[in-house]
Amino acid sequence: MPADNLIDGRAIAREVHAETESRVATLKSAGVEPGLVFVRVGEDSASKVYVGMKERTAAKLGIRSETTVLPEDTPEAELLKLLAKLNADSSVHGVLVQAPLPRHIDETKVFSTVSPSKDVDGFHPVNVGRLMLGESGGFVPCTPGGVHELLIRSGTPIDGAEVVILGRGNIVGKPMAAILCQKSGRANATVTLCHSRTRNVVEHCRRADIVVAAIGKAEFVKADMVKPGATVIDVGVNRVDDPAAEKGYRLVGDVDFTAVQPIAGKITPNPGGVGPMTIAMLMRNTVRAAVQQTGSGVQ
Ligand SMILES: NC(=O)c1ccc[n+]([C@@H]2O[C@H](COP(=O)([O-])OP(=O)(O)OC[C@H]3O[C@@H](n4cnc5c(N)ncnc54)[C@H](OP(=O)(O)O)[C@@H]3O)[C@@H](O)[C@H]2O)c1
């Protein structure tokens, strides 16, 4: 299988981590230790894995992190009280509440309670608004921010490109569209945002120079949906039954990788594409938060 068209998310994430690590070192020499707090509610197994990975990466880069785990039946008011305390703690620069939250807790209310200046996930309405307006001071959500970085660092032309995004979720699809449609040399794309009510999804995809798939449907993007030479970014993480696998399932993306790779100009593997970038952008946002809150002037 030719691998020369792969966008190596692990290698690009390492580049971003190296930049972050050097900023952390500069911050520390100026007396600032970037601090990140994770808040997890309940025992969702995927959330445990994700937070564990983020903690380990923070430690490697020299970012101080700690995790507060609250029981599944924690009242919403108690979680909001904890967030208010973290907002007021000047040693904490970033706060991340791991989704999904238990059903009795209103996620929107929670994300709106984290101070916009510590909202390293980029979900607070102020940061969502800043992204929409093209303002540079806010925080961009980590997954679409990571996809943007993958496109730039893999040398994929974005300016003037036709981009089709599959999925209009608040975490990936919508912010991805907002990033790529900005009037900026790093964007300037013509963006089409498809969803479950879109007619002719296949036709839209076929004319795209860049396809970003974020719908959560296993191997949805087939070879006949991709223009030869197009760049294909697979954000999806889907469990499919596999009796031969140790756990009885395996994880696949939203793109039928085996069929699409031979015709794509560039393509992200999955795993090893978007996932590592999500964590890299979180660490970068945390250091930016520390710089902004302490006025340290580190670039
Ligand atoms: N790698 C990472 O770091 C990372 C991070 C976040 C998410 N993800 C993965 O990315 C995927 C999307 O996540 P999300 O949070 O954005 O999901 P989401 O909020 O549930 O959004 C899914 C979107 O897909 C659309 N959709 C569903 N079926 C479709 C179809 N047949 N044709 C066209 N559009 C369709 C839905 O349309 P409607 O709006 O009409 O319902 C919705 O807009 C998931 O697999 C998730 O696990 C990965």
Side-chain angles (χ1 to χ4, degrees), residues 223-255:
D224 66 349
M225 295 169 70
V226 174
K227 180 169 80 174
T231 296
V232 180
I233 307 287
D234 188 359
V235 183
V237 180
N238 309 290
R239 260 187 198 198
V240 292
D241 292 338
D242 182 355
E246 198 183 313
K247 291 180 177 162
Y249 68 86
R250 65 196 159 87
L251 296 177
V252 300
D254 287 349
V255 175

Side-chain angles (χ1 to χ4, degrees), residues 122-231:
F123 296 157
H124 191 287
V126 165
N127 286 316
V128 175
R130 282 187 177 153
L131 169 59
M132 212 57 212
L133 293 169
E135 286 181 7
S136 57
F139 293 103
V140 171
C142 301
T143 301
V147 171
H148 190 208
E149 209 62 42
L150 281 180
L151 291 171
I152 291 168
R153 294 188 190 225
S154 64
T156 305
I158 307 174
D159 199 319
E162 288 266 359
V163 177
V164 169
I165 299 167
L166 299 176
R168 59 176 163 186
N170 288 333
I171 292 175
V172 189
K174 274 191 217 161
M176 188 80 254
I179 291 169
L180 295 177
C181 75
Q182 293 303 323
K183 190 165 185 169
S184 145
R186 288 165 57 91
N188 283 335
T190 302
V191 178
T192 303
L193 192 56
C194 296
H195 46 77
S196 67
R197 304 300 299 270
T198 301
R199 275 174 299 180
N200 306 329
V201 171
V202 175
E203 310 288 302
H204 285 297
C205 286
R206 269 192 201 142
R207 53 156 218 278
D209 302 307
I210 301 171
V211 177
V212 180
I215 58 175
K217 295 268 179 269
E219 300 182 332
F220 179 88
V221 177
K222 303 290 182 194
D224 66 349
M225 295 169 70
V226 174
K227 180 169 80 174
T231 296

Side-chain angles (χ1 to χ4, degrees), residues 61-133:
L61 301 181
I63 295 171
R64 182 177 41 80
S65 81
E66 60 188 66
T67 302
T68 301
V69 182
L70 300 175
E72 181 84 25
D73 60 356
T74 300
E76 183 183 272
E78 204 172 300
L79 173 58
L80 299 183
K81 216 164 105 189
L82 168 68
L83 295 177
K85 203 170 128 214
L86 294 171
N87 286 343
D89 183 342
S90 61
S91 72
V92 175
H93 305 106
V95 176
L96 183 149
V97 183
Q98 184 66 45
L101 290 169
R103 276 164 182 255
H104 66 279
I105 297 179
D106 177 350
E107 225 165 71
T108 310
K109 204 192 259 182
V110 168
F111 292 149
S112 307
T113 301
V114 174
S115 163
S117 62
K118 300 191 179 188
D119 170 38
V120 285
D121 244 347
F123 296 157
H124 191 287
V126 165
N127 286 316
V128 175
R130 282 187 177 153
L131 169 59
M132 212 57 212
L133 293 169

